[in-house]
């Protein structure tokens, strides 16, 4: 039986730390504030927004919402970003991606002030993930993976890690963060010839593909730690990860559940970035 690496306890510990830091900020008349910019009514955006707002309320972070219609013009989106930039009370901004229009998304990320970019949208923050310069913040989910491993005292240095997925939001940044922790990282993608073999050879598997239960029994080996980032819906309509949990759990040493794993830590990391931005301001 594998250890189940639940996200809840890790998120709770971070939330408690953030409550203390927010009290200290409020004593200096600073209330950390997060701006949420959402275009349209996508269910997954609204679910993430609700979870983020709930976590912010618990910590004492205020939230300003910028909710735009799905047929919003480029100018209206950019004017919302300008308003966020100019509002000195706003310390961080989360924009729900992808935008309906990729060109508008790129323009918005160029416009957003780097110091308010708490989810690694600007090229400056992204460059920092690769250079380790410490400017900006890594994508919240990528950082949540590393925080979860730290919380459960799972050694990273010197371990072989296979990251399945190479997106700019998760796969690539989490690979860089783990490399910074001295892991030996293999990054896989849709053209990888033997994904199952690459996963089996790893001490730690990070699955960030976005395909329900793609990683079946032959992807796993005894003693491994599996971090499942995927959020999918299975054939029965239930939320599930990229790993076939029932097949993996009897084999591996430890595995994150979906739901209740990495996703629960992501909103706490977002709040940590907002509090840090407020401390810097
Ligand atoms: P994405 O942009 O679609 O990227 C998917 C990656 O998986 C790509 O690099 C793709 O390879 C690779 N891939 C696709 N099919 C594959 C296959 N059969 N074998 C090997 N690699 C394959 O997705 P994403 O934004 O990174 O998200 C990944 C998952 O994480 C999704 O389920 C998403 O919902 C979830 N997610 C979770 C959280 C959280 O807080 N837990 C937050 C955000 C996203 P190519 O590059 O070759 O196309």
């Amino acid at each position: 039986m594998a250890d189940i690496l639940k996200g809840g306890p890790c998120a709770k510990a971070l939330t408690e730390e953030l409550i203390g830091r927010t009290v200290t900020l409020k004593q200096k008349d600073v209330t950390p504030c997060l701006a949420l910019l959402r275009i349209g009514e996508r269910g997954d955006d609204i679910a993430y927004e609700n979870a983020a707002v709930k976590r912010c309320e618990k910590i004492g972070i205020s939230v300003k919402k910028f909710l735009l219609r799905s047929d919003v013009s480029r100018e209206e989106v950019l004017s919302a970003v300008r308003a966020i930039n100019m509002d000195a009370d706003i310390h961080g901004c989360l924009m729900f991606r992808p935008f309906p229009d990729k060109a508008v998304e790129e323009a918005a990320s160029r416009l957003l002030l780097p110091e308010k970019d708490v989810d690694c949208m600007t090229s400056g923050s992204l460059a920092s993930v690769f250079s380790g310069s410490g400017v900006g913040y890594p994508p919240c989910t990528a950082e949540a993976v590393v925080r979860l491993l730290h919380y459960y005292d799972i050694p990273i240095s010197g371990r072989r890690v296979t990251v399945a997925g190479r997106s700019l939001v998760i796969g690539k940044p989490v690979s860089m963060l783990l490399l910074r922790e001295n892991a030996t990282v293999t990054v896989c993608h849709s053209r990888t010839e033997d994904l199952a073999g690459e996963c089996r050879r790893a001490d730690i598997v990070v699955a960030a593909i976005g395909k329900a239960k793609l990683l079946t029994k032959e992807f796993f080996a005894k003693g491994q730690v599996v971090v499942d980032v995927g959020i999918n819906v299975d054939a029965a309509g239930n939320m599930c990860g990229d790993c076939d949990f029932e097949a993996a759990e009897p084999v591996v040493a430890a595995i994150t559940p979906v739901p209740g794993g990495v996703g629960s830590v992501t909103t706490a990391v977002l709040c940590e970035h907002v509090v840090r931005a407020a401390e810097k301001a």
Side-chain angles (χ1 to χ4, degrees):
M1 295 286 275
D3 290 337
I4 308 303
L5 309 177
K6 291 187 180 170
C10 174
K12 187 167 181 274
L14 182 53
T15 300
E16 276 161 15
E17 178 200 313
L18 293 175
I19 290 170
R21 283 163 64 183
T22 301
V23 167
T24 308
L25 280 166
K26 287 188 176 175
Q27 284 162 353
K28 298 173 187 161
D29 278 336
V30 177
T31 299
C33 176
L34 172 68
L36 294 173
L37 189 151
R38 170 163 59 81
I39 302 176
E41 302 284 329
R42 281 177 29 167
D44 50 350
D45 288 349
I46 294 169
Y48 186 28
E49 177 181 315
N50 290 341
V53 169
K54 209 168 139 196
R55 180 83 57 190
C56 285
E57 279 170 358
K58 203 175 244 179
I59 293 168
I61 296 171
S62 69
V63 175
K64 290 188 184 178
K65 292 188 187 182
F66 295 76
L67 306 180
L68 307 172
R69 302 175 325 276
S70 54
D71 62 349
V72 66
S73 72
R74 174 190 172 96
E75 202 30 59
E76 283 171 289
V77 175
L78 298 186
S79 116
V81 179
R82 275 188 213 101
I84 290 166
N85 282 347
M86 279 162 47
D87 187 337
D89 290 337
I90 293 176
H91 301 99
C93 170
L94 173 72
M95 301 191 203
F96 293 94
R97 292 172 277 167
F99 283 15
D101 184 327
K102 191 79 197 146
V104 177
E105 182 178 319
E106 281 167 14
S109 47
R110 279 196 299 275
L111 190 60
L112 181 66
L113 285 175
E115 58 267 33
K116 298 195 180 192
D117 177 23
V118 287
D119 195 28
C120 205
M121 198 174 177
T122 60
S123 51
S125 299
L126 210 46
S128 168
V129 170
F130 287 78
S131 69
S133 69
V135 174
Y137 307 85
C140 298
T141 304
E143 187 177 326
V145 170
V146 179
R147 279 189 180 261
L148 200 63
L149 292 171
H150 283 171
Y151 180 80
Y152 285 105
D153 287 328
I154 292 162
I156 300 174
S157 181
R159 311 312 299 273
R160 282 166 307 186
V161 180
T162 290
V163 176
R166 59 172 166 181
S167 74
L168 266 186
V169 181
I170 306 172
K172 280 179 187 152
V174 83
S175 303
M176 288 302 121
L177 297 180
L178 292 165
L179 189 59
R180 211 186 287 168
E181 304 258 341
N182 301 313
T184 302
V185 183
T186 301
V187 186
C188 299
H189 45 79
S190 63
R191 311 287 173 89
T192 297
E193 286 205 345
D194 180 17
L195 182 62
E198 298 297 348
C199 289
R200 260 196 325 270
R201 281 188 280 280
D203 300 307
I204 300 172
V205 175
V206 179
I209 289 180
K211 300 250 162 85
K213 302 183 182 179
L214 182 83
L215 275 58
T216 45
K217 196 174 173 198
E218 67 275 16
F219 287 67
F220 304 107
K222 257 178 102 101
Q224 286 183 322
V225 174
V226 178
V227 181
D228 192 347
V229 182
I231 299 178
N232 314 293
V233 177
D234 68 13
N238 298 316
M239 192 195 278
C240 69
D242 290 346
C243 302
D244 182 341
F245 185 89
E246 277 70 37
E249 192 268 342
V251 179
V252 302
I255 183 166
T256 61
V258 179
V262 177
S264 337
V265 183
T266 300
T267 52
V269 171
L270 171 69
C271 291
E272 200 280 334
H273 291 176
V274 178
V275 170
R276 202 158 10 127
E279 288 166 345
K280 282 186 193 169

